[in-house]
Amino acid sequence: MSRKITFLTLFLWLMTLTFPVIAQQKADTTYTFRFVPREDMFYVPWNGNDTELARLLECIEKNKATILDGKLPLYVDGYCNSLGSEAENLATAKIRANRVKSELIIRAEIKEENFITRNHATEGDFVTVRLTVPAKETAATDADTEARRKAEAERLAAEKRAEQERLAEEQRKAEEARLAAEKAEAEKAAQQNTLADTPSETKITNDYHLSLRANLLRWATLTPDLGLEWRICPSWGIAVNGSWTSWTWSDKDRRYALWEVAPEVRYYMGEKKAWYLGAMFKAGQFNYKLSETGKQGDLMGGGITAGYQLRLNKALNLDFNLGLGYLNVDFEKYEVIDDVRVRRGNETKDWCGPINAGVTLVWKLF
């Protein structure tokens, strides 16, 4: 009987020593903070982060002395797998973990040395904070924590599926856009080939580079006129026209003589490059005596030209043109007395209006 009493007493004494140890067994408590895929900003009032942060701050407050003593570290794990490479994922996971730690340092007044941090390029876009606290403080929340972890895993899986579907849809649209662009390019090439096969009358191009020009209106007034035009490209050309004549009659008492040079820059427009606008400069000298008084002097000016080239055949065009602008004429008057010119004064006149007109035959050299 005494042995049983002694054994029972020893058993109760051992239980008294071990029960507090059992009661103080520690268990992990994990808090999860979610992040927007591919971003590192910690949005506290988003997707339940504010509720989770409040629970964590309450737990830290209960164990603050132990945490600050370094006996209860906070294990912080950053996760990211929504970027293109492992290096990018690890860098973003590190930033996310640091943002969560900064929030805890400010709100709970703990220090950097109270954390143990690791970063991962797997599983999802979140940060976990884990504390190993006495089991008596976490037993009541183990079931809730497990349920939340399960719900979080399901949510992350759903987000991953949605992201994969989105990427697949973007890839499909990109492929459709690529095929549409290739089709449009092929149609454009076919259209250009068709234009290349059409007769030269309908091509949107210039069919000559150098041409010889003759203003038929000048020739009709017994003033020979010749010029050249160089087509730099289908839209631009440089032309130079020159006129010269010298006629006398009535024993040289009457005279009609002049020379002119008119360089011009042209810009061709329209589908067939037939219409054009230009800028012209004109300089020359003249000697007219059609009555008792003659006029001899210089002219200089310039203006804007416009015209249209009518295609006659492969070798010839007909150029209709008109120039408007300003001319300055400086001349002296004279009379002829006994075959001697007698000066009768000087005059200077300015003219604004038509300064050039032509119906020009264009011979395309090459």
Side-chain angles (χ1 to χ4, degrees), residues 281-321:
F281 174 78
K282 176 180 284 193
Q285 294 180 335
F286 61 90
N287 187 350
Y288 301 145
K289 189 174 186 300
L290 305 179
S291 61
E292 294 299 323
T293 302
K295 298 178 181 180
Q296 179 177 357
D298 302 323
L299 61 88
M300 183 177 296
I304 303 300
T305 61
Y308 176 81
Q309 284 199 6
L310 176 65
R311 190 176 190 277
L312 301 179
N313 53 41
K314 291 183 178 181
L316 297 175
N317 283 1
L318 201 57
D319 187 335
F320 302 89
N321 59 85

Side-chain angles (χ1 to χ4, degrees), residues 213-220 225 241 243 264 266 276 280 282 305-310 318-324 354-362:
R213 304 164 50 81
N215 189 339
L216 301 182
L217 293 183
R218 287 279 192 173
W219 285 88
D225 177 277
N241 269 63
S243 303
E264 180 183 357
R266 292 180 171 184
Y276 63 87
M280 181 183 68
K282 176 180 284 193
T305 61
Y308 176 81
Q309 284 199 6
L310 176 65
L318 201 57
D319 187 335
F320 302 89
N321 59 85
L322 178 66
L324 300 176
I355 60 172
N356 187 69
V359 178
T360 304
L361 187 64
V362 179

Side-chain angles (χ1 to χ4, degrees), residues 96-167:
R96 292 174 174 176
N98 287 337
R99 293 193 187 279
V100 173
K101 290 194 296 182
S102 297
E103 196 73 23
L104 296 177
I105 289 171
I106 294 172
R107 294 186 181 229
E109 299 180 353
I110 56 179
K111 303 177 181 179
E112 174 66 29
E113 55 263 28
N114 298 131
F115 297 98
I116 297 177
T117 308
R118 293 183 302 176
N119 301 303
H120 313 272
T122 58
E123 297 190 25
D125 295 283
F126 57 91
V127 172
T128 63
V129 180
R130 181 167 51 86
L131 289 86
T132 305
V133 298
K136 63 180 181 180
E137 297 181 10
T138 61
T141 60
D142 282 347
D144 292 340
T145 301
E146 183 62 27
R148 281 194 297 271
R149 289 179 64 85
K150 184 177 180 181
E152 177 69 13
E154 293 176 354
R155 187 188 67 79
L156 292 174
E159 285 184 356
K160 185 174 182 180
R161 287 195 299 272
E163 181 70 10
Q164 290 175 346
E165 292 175 357
R166 184 187 66 79
L167 292 175

Side-chain angles (χ1 to χ4, degrees), residues 17-317:
L17 294 176
T18 58
F19 181 78
V21 178
I22 296 173
Q24 293 177 8
Q25 285 182 342
K26 298 181 178 181
D28 289 345
T29 302
T30 304
Y31 302 86
T32 303
F33 300 98
R34 303 178 182 89
F35 282 76
V36 178
R38 297 184 299 276
E39 293 188 15
D40 56 35
M41 184 59 66
F42 181 31
Y43 299 109
V44 174
W46 178 75
N47 209 358
N49 286 341
D50 49 354
T51 303
E52 199 76 350
L53 181 60
R55 292 179 54 250
L56 176 56
L57 292 174
E58 181 181 358
C59 181
I60 291 174
E61 187 63 29
K62 291 179 180 180
N63 300 275
K64 190 170 183 179
T66 308
I67 293 173
L68 293 177
D69 288 342
K71 298 177 181 180
L72 182 58
L74 282 74
Y75 296 92
V76 180
D77 289 84
Y79 294 87
C80 178
N81 68 346
S82 56
L83 296 175
S85 67
E86 182 178 2
E88 291 176 323
N89 285 323
L90 287 174
T92 302
K94 180 179 179 180
I95 295 174
R96 292 174 174 176
N98 287 337
R99 293 193 187 279
V100 173
K101 290 194 296 182
S102 297
E103 196 73 23
L104 296 177
I105 289 171
I106 294 172
R107 294 186 181 229
E109 299 180 353
I110 56 179
K111 303 177 181 179
E112 174 66 29
E113 55 263 28
N114 298 131
F115 297 98
I116 297 177
T117 308
R118 293 183 302 176
N119 301 303
H120 313 272
T122 58
E123 297 190 25
D125 295 283
F126 57 91
V127 172
T128 63
V129 180
R130 181 167 51 86
L131 289 86
T132 305
V133 298
K136 63 180 181 180
E137 297 181 10
T138 61
T141 60
D142 282 347
D144 292 340
T145 301
E146 183 62 27
R148 281 194 297 271
R149 289 179 64 85
K150 184 177 180 181
E152 177 69 13
E154 293 176 354
R155 187 188 67 79
L156 292 174
E159 285 184 356
K160 185 174 182 180
R161 287 195 299 272
E163 181 70 10
Q164 290 175 346
E165 292 175 357
R166 184 187 66 79
L167 292 175
E169 180 66 15
E170 289 181 356
Q171 186 176 3
R172 183 185 65 79
K173 290 181 179 179
E175 183 67 17
E176 290 179 354
R178 185 185 65 80
L179 293 175
E182 289 180 355
K183 182 179 179 181
E185 188 67 24
E187 291 176 353
K188 182 178 179 181
Q191 185 178 5
Q192 290 176 347
N193 291 336
T194 302
L195 289 175
D197 294 337
T198 57
S200 61
E201 288 82 356
T202 62
K203 288 184 180 179
I204 308 174
T205 184
N206 170 40
D207 58 355
Y208 69 93
H209 297 285
L210 186 67
S211 64
L212 182 65
R213 304 164 50 81
N215 189 339
L216 301 182
L217 293 183
R218 287 279 192 173
W219 285 88
T221 60
L222 302 179
T223 305
D225 177 277
L226 289 174
L228 292 172
E229 182 185 8
W230 174 35
R231 290 291 287 273
I232 303 173
C233 64
S235 296
W236 290 95
I238 297 176
V240 179
N241 269 63
S243 303
W244 178 89
T245 189
S246 181
W247 298 92
T248 60
W249 63 95
S250 298
D251 293 330
K252 297 185 179 180
D253 187 52
R254 297 291 184 264
R255 174 178 290 275
Y256 168 60
L258 66 85
W259 67 264
E260 289 180 356
V261 175
E264 180 183 357
V265 177
R266 292 180 171 184
Y267 176 68
Y268 288 86
M269 304 171 293
E271 181 179 358
K272 298 180 180 180
K273 304 299 182 184
W275 293 95
Y276 63 87
L277 290 174
M280 181 183 68
F281 174 78
K282 176 180 284 193
Q285 294 180 335
F286 61 90
N287 187 350
Y288 301 145
K289 189 174 186 300
L290 305 179
S291 61
E292 294 299 323
T293 302
K295 298 178 181 180
Q296 179 177 357
D298 302 323
L299 61 88
M300 183 177 296
I304 303 300
T305 61
Y308 176 81
Q309 284 199 6
L310 176 65
R311 190 176 190 277
L312 301 179
N313 53 41
K314 291 183 178 181
L316 297 175
N317 283 1

